[in-house]
Amino acid sequence: MEYLAPKDEQGPDLSVNIGSLELKNPVMTASGTFGYAREFADLMDLGRLGAVIVKGISLHPREGNPPPRIAETSCGMLNAIGLQNVGVDRFISEKMGYLAKLGVPVIVNILGDSLGEYEEICARLNGVPGVAGIEVNISCPNVKKGGVAFGTDPLMAASVTKAVKNRADVPVMVKLSPNVTDIVAIARAVEDGGADSVSLINTLIGMAIDLKTRKPALANIIGGLSGPAIKPVALRMCYQVARAVSVPVIGIGGIETATDALEFMLAGASAVQVGTANFVNPRASEDIIDGLIEYATTEKLVSIRSIIGGLITE
Amino acid sequence: MSQYQENATVTRVEQFSATNYRITLNCPEIAGCAEPGQFVMVRTTTSKDPLLRRPFSIHQCLGDGSLQLYFKVVGRGTDLLSKVSPGEKISVFGPLGRGYRLNSTKPAIFVGGGMGIAPLLFLVKEYCRLKKECGEDIVLLGGRDKSEVAPLVDDFEVYGPSVVASTDDGSFGQQGFVTELLQNIALPPSCVLYGCGPEPMLKALGAFCRDRNIECQVSVESVMACGMGACLGCSRPAKDGTYTHVCVHGPVFDAEKLAWNI
């Protein structure tokens, strides 16, 4: 599938390849932080995005966790949304029509409690117009069964990757959890399982307490930490994984500006996802694209691809 | 409904008490299309900490492209906001959410408690503009003490309704809760009640209206990250057993549709 004729055709070449998926620029929106894109239509030009990754979709609708679901922490936030979503069938019938018309690759984040659920979601997404890729969530920390087990055990991670690869008719990106002893081992396992790319990191499990009430800030007690607070951890993990695997790496974690995005690319990321920053600045992704154009122009880069893995360590 | 992210200029800062402030912001796109009961998300700093925007109901839209926020300092975000000076720029995003449904053919009771007074001024202004004659309508304002209520009474009275006040300490108006005022007034027949305030007050308003078969619209608060339906963080239980989201399904709800967890 090709998404050419980018709006930014006048400027430097920002296009990148994620395996067989060509993006007009390396800026994607992270799952769970951008709704189904329509929410942001008034606030930015959605057509400029490298790709949209939609809110995680399960086989059946999920109501999510009781409130409070979010809590602010220093330079970051905790969330325990609990994977609330409309389910794959309603996603296809209610959300995909709009998304398909954006002229932007749509990557569907999927999650399941069993291999069978992952397979069934893929089967239902096959052939749906506009779906350009699947991102496999094996790492959500909020659901007690399923998700977290797949993400923390290399064999399980490889098996869910294989299952999705066998069913999906589009490229498969696997989203990795940082809540593991060795993320490189998991990355290698999903590469062996056939992943076309890996995205990292998902949120770090954290906790906050309200001293006045002596209660946890989240009803779920623990939740996922995101935002600028986690950027150094994410950058380190991207660097380690990019050195260890040969599939493209997509950097996620506290990216708010073009500078942040370029640091991840230097560390080896072929593209990035913008997450929590969308809440703070609804046009953060577009600002990052503008910043990349400015950087590439100033630095006289023929292509932004020349930055990928360009970290100087000596 | 359009939404805008504007770099608003602070034009005025009023301090009503040690903790209560009203600021006026010039953001013509948002002020030009906002409806009573809607809210805005405000960045209280340009640094990364505190990271998230803060939701504020729109206190009033003035004709000159500015809007006002009325707030109490309760944490770091509101503390930073209370320290802005005229001429400073702050990022404002909105208008957001579903506001009050105005029924200007019926008499109205407006009930505000504490910072819940904030959205009612905009509501009363628009309601009285549509209805033209507001002599039969009643505004009940409750607060902790005189400084929370007294500075706003004139702003309401200018639109025509009668204003009755209560304070917890009796320093202004009747001593007690605003819900006690409601028990003691003569209700105009077939009226609508619009409320905003702390949860126990809203729950009491809902019960009061149910007993009398009065339509009751209330505006509720929630912690929010995005304010626009993307993060799904501001869930609260609805009466039908599902979750509703304050930012897109509210902040104004029919009291009957909400489950009160207090």
Side-chain angles (χ1 to χ4, degrees):
Chain A
M1 222 177 295
E2 287 187 13
Y3 296 90
L4 299 175
K7 188 190 163 186
D8 303 310
E9 59 210 356
Q10 306 296 323
D13 178 12
L14 294 191
S15 69
V16 294
N17 295 306
I18 308 299
S20 59
L21 190 61
E22 183 172 342
L23 309 182
K24 63 188 170 224
N25 64 61
V27 181
M28 315 184 212
T29 55
S31 177
T33 65
F34 207 65
Y36 301 104
R38 195 173 205 151
E39 292 86 345
F40 290 75
D42 274 357
L43 300 154
M44 62 171 294
D45 181 354
L46 294 170
R48 290 188 69 196
L49 290 168
V52 169
I53 305 182
V54 295
K55 173 80 185 155
I57 302 295
S58 50
L59 186 56
H60 304 293
R62 294 193 190 202
E63 274 292 327
N65 288 332
R69 292 179 174 185
I70 54 170
E72 191 177 55
T73 56
S74 298
C75 301
M77 64 177 281
L78 289 163
N79 87 79
I81 305 302
L83 304 172
Q84 181 187 346
N85 77 96
V86 296
V88 66
D89 292 337
R90 277 181 60 199
F91 168 73
I92 293 168
S93 63
E94 295 173 17
K95 311 291 184 187
M96 206 47 226
Y98 176 82
L99 288 161
K101 288 188 199 126
L102 294 176
V104 166
V106 176
I107 297 172
V108 183
N109 182 287
I110 66 167
L111 55 107
D113 287 339
S114 65
L115 289 181
E117 282 192 16
Y118 281 103
E119 289 172 333
E120 182 58 28
I121 300 167
C122 292
R124 295 194 193 183
L125 287 171
N126 281 346
V128 173
V131 175
I134 282 175
E135 180 178 59
V136 190
N137 182 357
I138 58 168
S139 49
C140 184
N142 297 327
V143 175
K144 289 185 176 64
K145 55 181 178 172
V148 77
F150 289 122
T152 53
D153 177 78
L155 291 175
M156 291 289 282
S159 67
V160 71
T161 306
K162 265 183 216 155
V164 171
K165 266 305 279 183
N166 285 339
R167 280 301 184 96
D169 64 358
V170 288
V172 173
M173 178 187 298
V174 179
K175 186 168 184 174
L176 304 183
S177 169
N179 305 304
V180 293
T181 309
D182 182 7
I183 196 167
V184 170
I186 307 281
R188 284 193 173 123
V190 302
E191 182 182 36
D192 290 344
D196 298 296
S197 61
V198 290
S199 54
L200 64 148
I201 57 174
N202 205 324
T203 54
L204 284 153
I205 299 174
M207 182 173 177
I209 293 172
D210 182 341
L211 179 61
K212 267 188 221 153
T213 60
R214 300 192 180 187
K215 287 181 177 175
L218 299 173
N220 195 56
I221 301 175
I222 62 171
L225 179 66
S226 65
I230 72 166
K231 192 186 123 189
V233 178
L235 199 55
R236 181 269 292 181
M237 289 186 163
C238 270
Y239 168 72
Q240 290 178 322
V241 167
R243 284 159 57 99
V245 299
S246 54
V247 293
V249 171
I250 292 97
I252 324 167
I255 297 173
E256 293 188 307
T257 63
T259 302
D260 296 330
L262 288 160
E263 287 171 21
F264 275 84
M265 292 181 81
L266 282 176
S270 298
V272 296
Q273 296 180 16
V274 181
T276 299
N278 294 314
F279 302 152
V280 182
N281 169 15
R283 43 164 293 140
S285 308
E286 205 175 352
D287 289 348
I288 291 172
I289 295 167
D290 288 337
L292 293 181
I293 294 170
E294 197 185 322
Y295 179 80
T297 306
T298 309
E299 297 289 315
K300 298 188 173 60
L301 303 181
V302 176
S303 162
I304 199 80
R305 291 189 294 276
S306 63
I307 289 291
I308 299 168
L311 184 72
I312 299 166
T313 51
E314 281 130 44
Chain B
M1 243 184 311
S2 291
Q3 295 167 353
Y4 304 93
Q5 188 176 191
E6 286 189 83
N7 212 11
T9 306
V10 178
T11 55
R12 192 175 177 201
V13 180
E14 297 165 85
Q15 183 171 7
F16 292 153
S17 73
T19 55
N20 293 8
Y21 291 80
R22 180 160 73 180
I23 62 171
T24 308
L25 302 162
N26 190 258
C27 41
E29 289 186 302
I30 298 168
C33 66
E35 292 169 10
Q38 288 190 296
F39 68 99
V40 290
M41 295 292 284
V42 178
R43 262 195 105 169
T44 58
T45 173
T46 52
S47 84
K48 295 179 199 291
D49 199 28
L51 182 67
L52 300 172
R53 289 170 182 265
R54 297 291 188 264
F56 292 98
S57 63
I58 299 170
H59 178 54
Q60 185 164 214
C61 281
L62 308 169
D64 61 355
S66 53
L67 63 75
Q68 290 183 326
L69 309 177
Y70 174 53
F71 64 94
K72 180 194 280 285
V73 175
V74 293
R76 291 181 56 216
T78 42
D79 183 49
L80 286 166
L81 196 60
S82 73
K83 290 176 178 144
V84 297
S85 308
E88 270 182 60
K89 299 261 191 189
I90 54 176
S91 176
V92 183
F93 163 41
L96 299 161
R98 291 189 192 164
Y100 291 98
R101 294 185 316 278
L102 271 64
N103 187 341
S104 59
T105 61
K106 288 184 171 180
I109 315 286
F110 304 92
V111 187
M115 286 306 107
I117 294 172
L120 295 189
L121 185 59
F122 188 17
L123 175 64
V124 167
K125 180 183 178 181
E126 279 304 294
Y127 176 84
C128 292
R129 191 177 61 80
L130 289 170
K131 199 181 172 194
K132 297 193 173 68
E133 167 52 48
C134 277
E136 65 179 337
D137 304 301
I138 302 166
V139 178
L140 305 178
L141 303 178
R144 216 169 274 180
D145 57 33
K146 184 177 179 179
S147 70
E148 216 164 87
V149 182
L152 294 161
V153 170
D154 288 352
D155 290 343
F156 281 92
E157 280 182 337
V158 72
Y159 299 117
S162 53
V163 179
V164 187
S166 69
T167 49
D168 297 356
D169 65 358
S171 58
F172 186 76
Q174 186 183 308
Q175 182 171 11
F177 289 149
V178 72
T179 42
E180 293 162 34
L181 289 181
L182 184 62
Q183 302 281 355
N184 297 327
I185 58 163
L187 295 171
S190 67
C191 61
V192 180
L193 190 144
Y194 302 93
C196 185
E199 289 268 316
M201 175 195 130
L202 298 182
K203 183 186 180 186
L205 293 183
F208 178 89
C209 291
R210 191 184 322 118
D211 290 347
R212 292 161 182 79
N213 205 23
I214 294 172
E215 180 187 337
C216 182
Q217 299 178 32
V218 295
S219 176
V220 300
E221 270 193 313
S222 175
V223 176
M224 291 183 188
C226 72
M228 60 190 295
C231 73
L232 307 180
C234 61
S235 58
R236 69 168 287 150
K239 199 171 265 178
D240 63 6
T242 63
Y243 288 121
T244 184
H245 290 283
V246 175
C247 73
V248 287
H249 303 129
V252 177
F253 294 90
D254 287 316
E256 277 305 294
K257 296 219 169 114
L258 295 175
W260 302 99
N261 200 12
I262 40 174

